[in-house]
Amino acid sequence: MTELSISVPQNNESLRGNGLPSDGRLIMQPNMYKKKLPGIMIPGGLLLPVVFALMFLPGACSEKDVATSMLPGFQESPRVLASYPPDGMEGLDSNKGIWVLFDQPMDRTRTERAFGLTGSAGQVPGAFRWDAPGKLEFFPARSLDGRKYLLRVGTKAESRAGLDLQQEYRAQFSTSVDSEGPELLDSVPSDGQQGVSKEVNIQLSFSEPISLEGLNDGLNLNPSMRYQLDLQDQGREIIIQPASHLIVGQRYTVSLNESIVDVSGNPLKSPTRISFLVGSDHNAPDISSVQVGEEDLSEGTVTANVSKYGPIRISFSEPVDPLAAEDGIRLSPEAEMDISWDESNSILSLNPQPSLSGESYYELSISEEVKDLAGNPLNNPGLFFFLTNARDSTAPRVSMIQQGKVSMPGGIDGAEPVTEYFPDPELPDYGIVDTAQLADTDNGEAGMRAALVFRILFTEDMQLTSLYEAIRFIPVIDTGGSELEVHSVSRGAEKNEAIVLASWTPAAGASPVYALEISTRALDSDGNALPERFRRYLSL
């Protein structure tokens, strides 16, 4: 039997006993602890746990030496021996799976974290399996398409011995033999072509067959139109057949993007735009008409009675370039506008948001910057002037204030205002109120028996709710003890008439003076506000 002799310090009591020699030597027989200590047997019969424990005695060796002692033969960083698919492979054999083979046993958790499979849609999720300590298999959670993928194992992958991967491993592959995207080789009409027939069918020729999948998103026509698609030459040629004739003088654009793919799923190599002009156009466009609301404007003259709500509509004799036209049209003073065009790009609509200013003067300028689709500048630029003083654009005003005379003064039930009583035409801003003219209100106005009645006539129909906020009585000369307050506001015979019932507490001494005030909160039915605060002075 071969003995293994290990020297220990003489004073190490923890290793004494059980028949240790007095000279400090530990004698171990090869099979002495085979059944008592679990572990890896190494040459000579010594169990790995014993060696591992001895590594932590004073003067123990380095981590690499520990790993070397634990796993003899694995003293270097791990390397990738092979993978499937290998780098550069085209056409994946799904029966072979996806795996990476290392030259030594690996730490599973750290190696799985360092593994990655990336496609055009980003990281591919999946699960792992280890057929052997050094072979990692990956099972994608979704099927792989025909595009390119990158398999990667980073240097954070670690062997069981605790050593990192020597260098990052990369392998690019494609599930299809075809990994190149299609290219547009030719088009009819060609880009920039003029004089194209209105009956043309648009033809697009590609370097390889195109899949119908993705054509809906990948093919765009401007302006839009209804059309049919026909694929010829096994999908290498696409024919776009418009449902109706194209517009002469109109410039069309065909846009192709990466949603177009070949039959292997590879996207178009580069987005492409093809622009062409239908017909030969050498004639300059004209302004056909300019309207604001229902009013036609004439160049160089002022048009009145225009609605502030618009819209402004400018019609041209032929389709124009929308961007150039919008740059060439100015409104002064400026206003926020919602801009829209008809399908043929020949009628421009400017919708004020929410409206132009009422009772205002505007100047509309249309310059030569406006061009048709062939680049011809406007033939008849001009200036158009208008006033927004239509009925719906005019601010309301107070035209008359009167005290209502009642048929039976003195608080008798049934009394009501029947005649106009006041003001004195010689004193339009001042009037004397007859406090004896009180309307009995027992039957309709809870909490108030009698009221002074005032009739206010406006130039426009008014919003009744706004009058509640706008009308009040303000004491100007207060003789003490009197009160005059708005009790209620109702509509008169017409929508431009308001009847105000006012509660009145007489003064003890001299007659007080109040101001009947109507603020700019008063709105007409079109939303126009009273232009300024109105006051009428009343002596009671």
mmCIF file of all heavy atoms in Angstrom, residues 45 59 235 246 265 279 302 316 328 346 363 375 445 460 468 499 503:
data_model
loop_
_atom_site.group_PDB
_atom_site.id
_atom_site.type_symbol
_atom_site.label_atom_id
_atom_site.label_comp_id
_atom_site.label_asym_id
_atom_site.label_seq_id
_atom_site.Cartn_x
_atom_site.Cartn_y
_atom_site.Cartn_z
ATOM 1 N N GLY A 45 -5.753 7.854 -5.026
ATOM 2 C CA GLY A 45 -6.843 7.486 -4.151
ATOM 3 C C GLY A 45 -7.275 8.562 -3.195
ATOM 4 O O GLY A 45 -8.205 8.370 -2.424
ATOM 5 N N GLY A 59 -0.731 29.300 4.270
ATOM 6 C CA GLY A 59 0.171 29.145 3.117
ATOM 7 C C GLY A 59 -0.490 28.463 1.949
ATOM 8 O O GLY A 59 0.188 27.936 1.076
ATOM 9 N N GLY A 235 -43.178 37.137 -59.803
ATOM 10 C CA GLY A 235 -43.135 38.113 -58.720
ATOM 11 C C GLY A 235 -42.004 39.108 -58.828
ATOM 12 O O GLY A 235 -41.875 39.983 -57.968
ATOM 13 N N LEU A 246 -55.297 58.943 -64.642
ATOM 14 C CA LEU A 246 -54.592 59.888 -63.793
ATOM 15 C C LEU A 246 -54.912 61.313 -64.243
ATOM 16 O O LEU A 246 -55.405 61.546 -65.352
ATOM 17 C CB LEU A 246 -53.085 59.632 -63.853
ATOM 18 C CG LEU A 246 -52.628 58.222 -63.445
ATOM 19 C CD1 LEU A 246 -51.105 58.143 -63.451
ATOM 20 C CD2 LEU A 246 -53.164 57.839 -62.082
ATOM 21 N N GLY A 265 -38.312 36.583 -47.005
ATOM 22 C CA GLY A 265 -38.531 37.484 -45.885
ATOM 23 C C GLY A 265 -37.504 38.587 -45.742
ATOM 24 O O GLY A 265 -37.545 39.342 -44.773
ATOM 25 N N GLY A 279 -48.703 64.234 -68.223
ATOM 26 C CA GLY A 279 -48.865 65.255 -69.254
ATOM 27 C C GLY A 279 -47.704 66.240 -69.270
ATOM 28 O O GLY A 279 -46.859 66.260 -68.369
ATOM 29 N N VAL A 302 -62.325 96.261 -51.530
ATOM 30 C CA VAL A 302 -62.702 95.837 -50.182
ATOM 31 C C VAL A 302 -64.114 95.254 -50.216
ATOM 32 O O VAL A 302 -65.049 95.903 -50.715
ATOM 33 C CB VAL A 302 -62.636 97.006 -49.183
ATOM 34 C CG1 VAL A 302 -63.071 96.537 -47.792
ATOM 35 C CG2 VAL A 302 -61.238 97.603 -49.141
ATOM 36 N N PHE A 316 -57.918 77.315 -57.807
ATOM 37 C CA PHE A 316 -56.951 77.520 -58.889
ATOM 38 C C PHE A 316 -57.415 76.792 -60.143
ATOM 39 O O PHE A 316 -58.217 75.850 -60.073
ATOM 40 C CB PHE A 316 -55.570 77.017 -58.477
ATOM 41 C CG PHE A 316 -55.006 77.741 -57.273
ATOM 42 C CD1 PHE A 316 -55.143 77.198 -56.008
ATOM 43 C CD2 PHE A 316 -54.359 78.961 -57.416
ATOM 44 C CE1 PHE A 316 -54.631 77.856 -54.889
ATOM 45 C CE2 PHE A 316 -53.865 79.626 -56.310
ATOM 46 C CZ PHE A 316 -53.996 79.072 -55.039
ATOM 47 N N GLY A 328 -46.907 80.765 -50.261
ATOM 48 C CA GLY A 328 -47.156 81.973 -51.046
ATOM 49 C C GLY A 328 -48.427 82.706 -50.685
ATOM 50 O O GLY A 328 -48.767 83.698 -51.343
ATOM 51 N N SER A 346 -56.391 71.508 -56.094
ATOM 52 C CA SER A 346 -56.691 72.742 -56.832
ATOM 53 C C SER A 346 -57.563 73.705 -56.028
ATOM 54 O O SER A 346 -57.746 74.845 -56.453
ATOM 55 C CB SER A 346 -57.385 72.413 -58.163
ATOM 56 O OG SER A 346 -58.586 71.720 -57.941
ATOM 57 N N GLU A 363 -56.380 91.642 -44.965
ATOM 58 C CA GLU A 363 -55.749 91.685 -46.287
ATOM 59 C C GLU A 363 -55.218 90.294 -46.614
ATOM 60 O O GLU A 363 -54.420 89.722 -45.862
ATOM 61 C CB GLU A 363 -54.604 92.693 -46.289
ATOM 62 C CG GLU A 363 -53.875 92.793 -47.627
ATOM 63 C CD GLU A 363 -52.755 93.814 -47.582
ATOM 64 O OE1 GLU A 363 -53.023 94.985 -47.206
ATOM 65 O OE2 GLU A 363 -51.603 93.433 -47.893
ATOM 66 N N GLY A 375 -44.139 73.360 -61.846
ATOM 67 C CA GLY A 375 -43.237 74.440 -61.437
ATOM 68 C C GLY A 375 -43.542 75.776 -62.054
ATOM 69 O O GLY A 375 -42.781 76.739 -61.875
ATOM 70 N N GLU A 445 -92.712 85.657 -7.968
ATOM 71 C CA GLU A 445 -91.383 85.923 -7.456
ATOM 72 C C GLU A 445 -91.370 85.743 -5.938
ATOM 73 O O GLU A 445 -91.749 86.633 -5.179
ATOM 74 C CB GLU A 445 -90.944 87.348 -7.816
ATOM 75 C CG GLU A 445 -90.861 87.614 -9.303
ATOM 76 C CD GLU A 445 -89.713 86.844 -9.930
ATOM 77 O OE1 GLU A 445 -88.754 86.538 -9.211
ATOM 78 O OE2 GLU A 445 -89.792 86.542 -11.132
ATOM 79 N N GLU A 460 -78.508 93.106 -30.945
ATOM 80 C CA GLU A 460 -78.427 91.706 -31.376
ATOM 81 C C GLU A 460 -79.184 90.823 -30.388
ATOM 82 O O GLU A 460 -79.433 91.210 -29.239
ATOM 83 C CB GLU A 460 -76.959 91.228 -31.455
ATOM 84 C CG GLU A 460 -76.043 92.091 -32.289
ATOM 85 C CD GLU A 460 -76.374 92.068 -33.761
ATOM 86 O OE1 GLU A 460 -77.006 91.094 -34.218
ATOM 87 O OE2 GLU A 460 -76.006 93.029 -34.465
ATOM 88 N N TYR A 468 -77.286 87.451 -16.828
ATOM 89 C CA TYR A 468 -77.304 87.292 -15.367
ATOM 90 C C TYR A 468 -75.957 87.686 -14.762
ATOM 91 O O TYR A 468 -75.889 88.240 -13.669
ATOM 92 C CB TYR A 468 -77.623 85.838 -15.010
ATOM 93 C CG TYR A 468 -79.103 85.538 -14.937
ATOM 94 C CD1 TYR A 468 -79.758 84.938 -16.009
ATOM 95 C CD2 TYR A 468 -79.838 85.852 -13.806
ATOM 96 C CE1 TYR A 468 -81.117 84.646 -15.947
ATOM 97 C CE2 TYR A 468 -81.201 85.572 -13.738
ATOM 98 C CZ TYR A 468 -81.826 84.959 -14.812
ATOM 99 O OH TYR A 468 -83.166 84.705 -14.740
ATOM 100 N N ILE A 499 -85.874 91.851 -19.802
ATOM 101 C CA ILE A 499 -86.679 92.480 -18.769
ATOM 102 C C ILE A 499 -86.011 92.207 -17.427
ATOM 103 O O ILE A 499 -85.811 91.041 -17.040
ATOM 104 C CB ILE A 499 -88.118 91.934 -18.750
ATOM 105 C CG1 ILE A 499 -88.755 92.103 -20.136
ATOM 106 C CG2 ILE A 499 -88.936 92.603 -17.666
ATOM 107 C CD1 ILE A 499 -88.894 93.535 -20.585
ATOM 108 N N SER A 503 -85.321 94.572 -7.028
ATOM 109 C CA SER A 503 -85.878 94.815 -5.694
ATOM 110 C C SER A 503 -85.413 96.189 -5.202
ATOM 111 O O SER A 503 -84.242 96.555 -5.388
ATOM 112 C CB SER A 503 -85.433 93.713 -4.734
ATOM 113 O OG SER A 503 -84.017 93.709 -4.612
#
